[in-house]
Amino acid sequence: MSSGTHKNWSPAAFPADPEATRQLQEWDAEEGYSLYGIEHDFRGADLSGGDFTKAWFTQAVLAGVRLTGAIFYRADLQSADLTGADLTGADLVRANLDGAVLRSARLDGADMVKASLQGVDASGASFRGTRIMGASLFGVDMAGADLTDAVLFQNTFKVTVDDNTVLRGLTGTVFGPITVNNGDSSRELAGAELEAWIGARGGQVQVIPPRRAPQ
């Protein structure tokens, strides 16, 4: 049981794994330190509404875990498995998601301002209404992802999409280019060509010229 720390929050359901449950219980009972969930298996848990600011979930298994409205401000989720996780309305501001698996995850309405996503598999993920402003996306697979009404702002946006990626209502500014996969072939789009391609799919995004390094 919670001892009243963390704003009287305790998980709606604990993980099936006893070690992960023990880590959560110890952290929940004592203020003043970040949750240490590195390489732990949190499957079966419902951690919705938890405040995991600066927590360590490096290489943790969070597949299918309910994380709605949870706070991951500056949390380390590097190489975490979030396949099918529900992160609806979650706070992922400045979170490190490099190498994470977000396949089929739900991030609708999440706040991903200045988050880092490098080498992320987000295929089939839902980003409906997600604020992805100022985030760094390098080598992110967004094939089949849903970006309906998502908002970008000066994003590094080196992502791979396909004809099943939904861009309706996508707005903001990005640095390209993106890669479009079409069956066995792929092509890179940047500048006005990228703007037109997104526009044809119901989005309205301005592509910013790449920043030039000083000579």
Side-chain angles (χ1 to χ4, degrees), residues 56-133:
W56 296 88
F57 286 102
T58 316
Q59 297 181 353
V61 180
L62 293 149
V65 173
R66 279 182 55 83
L67 299 160
T68 60
I71 300 170
F72 293 96
Y73 176 70
R74 288 190 181 275
D76 193 307
L77 292 146
Q78 191 167 349
S79 301
D81 182 359
L82 290 146
T83 302
D86 188 351
L87 289 142
T88 302
D91 179 348
L92 290 152
V93 174
R94 295 185 181 273
N96 178 3
L97 289 150
D98 294 350
V101 179
L102 291 167
R103 204 164 39 236
S104 301
R106 176 169 291 181
L107 297 112
D108 299 348
D111 193 343
M112 302 185 75
V113 172
K114 295 192 175 178
S116 180
L117 293 88
Q118 298 195 32
V120 170
D121 180 358
S123 56
S126 183
F127 296 92
R128 296 173 70 90
T130 306
R131 296 174 74 233
I132 319 177
M133 302 164 74

Side-chain angles (χ1 to χ4, degrees), residues 109-194:
D111 193 343
M112 302 185 75
V113 172
K114 295 192 175 178
S116 180
L117 293 88
Q118 298 195 32
V120 170
D121 180 358
S123 56
S126 183
F127 296 92
R128 296 173 70 90
T130 306
R131 296 174 74 233
I132 319 177
M133 302 164 74
S136 297
L137 285 77
F138 284 98
V140 178
D141 184 354
M142 286 189 153
D146 186 348
L147 288 154
T148 300
D149 296 330
V151 182
L152 310 171
F153 179 73
Q154 296 188 358
N155 287 75
T156 305
F157 205 62
K158 294 190 176 180
V159 303
T160 300
V161 299
D162 62 8
D163 287 335
N164 294 318
T165 303
V166 180
L167 302 168
R168 187 174 52 253
L170 177 69
T171 57
T173 53
V174 298
F175 300 97
I178 70 169
T179 301
V180 181
N181 280 340
N182 185 8
D184 296 329
S185 64
S186 66
R187 59 192 174 124
E188 199 171 83
L189 296 179
E193 191 179 12
L194 175 55

